[in-house]
Amino acid sequence: KNIITRVQSQVSNGASLMAASITAFLQGHNHAAMGLSMKAVMADPKNVNHQNNMAAILSQSGYPEIAIPFLNKLSSQLPENSTILNNLGYAWLNLGQVDSAKFYFNGAAIRNPGNPETQLCNGVIAELNGDPKKAADNYVESFEEAPNPFTENMAKNVKAQDRLSNIDFEKLKSRIVIYEYFKKDWIKIPALSDNVSGFENDMRIKNGYNRMLE
């Protein structure tokens, strides 16, 4: 309640409320995340991304039965959206309905075969079905598409850590997006001295910058 009140005292638009909701969720404040996601949807009721995020947070916070009606509505509006289908699969999986979860995960995979979340959830289903080899295939493929500690741990749980060490790093690097948050002149290169007595200091500066660049 304190988190929600504090956030609402600073922001009121849907995008900012949803950003705060996701941050709260990642920090383990699930109740605050659910409340903020609902506030975001109320602030911007036509934004389907906010609705989808809210449903995903509800589902992963232990309320899949509340999330499913929202996701069904979104799926009827956007039947080709793999993320919504994936969230439906996850919600049904949380309810213990593996067959229903498979149906939606398969639908997500058909529409977007490269979706790492779909591969991750297919791995979970393979594990539940007693097929650790297929689970390992899914986890490694998911990790290649979107590396994160959770997927890495899932792969290690089915003893696929050796495969993680031999993944295609060129493919992996191409999936990592680096955003430029600094202005181009964020760093000033110091001028080197113009006499022999400054040689050692100059070399220290040059070596330091070479290490930074590497």
Side-chain angles (χ1 to χ4, degrees):
K1 191 173 180 181
N2 289 336
I3 292 172
I4 294 170
T5 303
R6 192 159 65 248
V7 170
Q8 280 198 292
S9 69
Q10 299 178 46
V11 297
S12 59
N13 64 80
S16 296
L17 288 166
M18 183 53 70
S21 169
I22 292 170
T23 300
F25 179 75
L26 292 173
Q27 292 177 345
H29 302 297
N30 291 51
H31 287 90
M34 287 187 285
L36 287 167
S37 69
M38 293 173 194
K39 298 286 187 184
V41 171
M42 291 167 65
D44 190 0
K46 292 183 179 179
N47 190 310
V48 293
N49 287 327
H50 293 350
Q51 295 175 47
N52 189 35
N53 287 339
M54 180 189 69
I57 289 170
L58 284 166
S59 181
Q60 294 185 51
S61 298
Y63 298 93
E65 70 282 0
I66 299 176
I68 286 172
F70 288 103
L71 292 168
N72 282 335
K73 179 181 76 72
L74 291 174
S75 185
S76 66
Q77 290 177 252
L78 303 165
E80 299 300 312
N81 188 297
S82 63
T83 303
I84 294 169
L85 292 171
N86 189 68
N87 285 339
L88 268 167
Y90 195 91
W92 282 109
L93 188 63
N94 277 344
L95 286 173
Q97 301 295 324
V98 176
D99 288 339
S100 295
K102 271 186 186 176
F103 173 81
Y104 289 108
F105 286 144
N106 288 336
I110 290 169
R111 288 160 178 79
N112 186 1
N115 187 337
E117 291 296 324
T118 299
Q119 295 300 330
L120 178 63
C121 292
N122 281 335
V124 173
I125 287 177
E127 265 199 270
L128 292 172
N129 289 341
D131 191 346
K133 183 179 182 307
K134 189 173 187 308
D137 291 342
N138 290 131
Y139 293 148
V140 171
E141 189 172 339
S142 175
F143 187 82
E144 279 187 336
E145 295 292 335
N148 64 71
F150 180 75
T151 309
E152 183 180 13
N153 286 334
M154 296 299 284
K156 288 179 177 177
N157 285 341
V158 290
K159 298 180 171 45
Q161 56 264 45
D162 291 340
R163 291 181 56 186
L164 289 179
S165 301
N166 296 311
I167 60 175
D168 184 347
F169 276 97
E170 290 307 313
K171 180 181 178 183
L172 182 63
K173 283 189 288 185
S174 71
R175 299 294 190 272
I176 299 173
V177 178
I178 299 174
Y179 296 96
E180 185 180 330
Y181 290 109
F182 301 102
K183 295 179 179 178
K184 293 187 183 300
D185 60 348
W186 70 278
I187 189 168
K188 302 291 185 185
I189 306 296
L192 300 179
S193 63
D194 58 356
N195 57 67
V196 177
S197 62
F199 175 78
E200 288 188 8
N201 188 58
D202 289 347
M203 288 306 297
R204 280 195 292 270
I205 291 172
K206 289 171 67 176
N207 290 337
Y209 276 90
N210 284 333
R211 287 179 188 170
M212 182 185 70
L213 290 169
E214 184 181 348

